[in-house]
Amino acid sequence: MKKLVGNVMLTAGLITGAIASARNPPLWFAVGGALFIMGAGIVLRRQGEKEELHRNITKGEGGEVELKKILENALTEIETVIKEKETDLEKARKRLGKVLETLETFAEKAQPLRIKGIKFYGEIMTSFSKAERHLNRAWSAYADGYIREGDTYLESGYAQLRETSKLLKSKS
């Protein structure tokens, strides 16, 4: 609720400030009031976001356990892709596509990690984004028939995803 009220206050302050400052001469008192309302809206919005993150953690959504499970499943599937690509590249590419689809939820589910600190969250997401980018490049290279390039990016993405998993486990 705080997030919604904060968004409304921020929007109202922005519109009021724009109208008051567009006048000739500007209505400085109204501009100041609009800035105050916008500031209060930002504070409420941040408080609401923090409360939402805490609620998600207590409900068990997006916690570290769930993220570790997503990563472990993805690593297992990628190991299967590595073995499978030797015999059936098309099947391996489809399996890699499914892995990438499941990894799409990781960033959303990782939001509660921000409670532990932005540095921790940043380290996890930096490592994860590198892995995801390399796995996407591997999929694309396989789709275009560049098998050696695909192999390189697949191994690199796999290693980076393992690094993400290690970071998540070590910081828990």
Side-chain angles (χ1 to χ4, degrees), residues 53 56 62 67 106-115 121 125:
L53 290 175
N56 287 344
L67 295 175
F106 185 90
E108 188 177 307
K109 292 183 183 290
Q111 293 302 313
L113 294 179
R114 294 184 353 213
I115 290 174
Y121 175 75
M125 292 310 295

Side-chain angles (χ1 to χ4, degrees), residues 82 85 134-135 137-139 141-142 146-160:
I82 290 171
K85 71 179 173 52
H134 286 204
L135 292 172
R137 286 180 181 166
W139 182 91
Y142 288 144
Y146 298 108
I147 296 169
R148 284 193 351 195
E149 182 181 351
D151 290 347
T152 302
Y153 280 116
L154 182 64
E155 289 172 16
S156 175
Y158 176 74
Q160 199 64 49

Side-chain angles (χ1 to χ4, degrees), residues 71 81 88 97 100 113:
L71 289 176
V81 168
D88 190 356
L100 289 167
L113 294 179

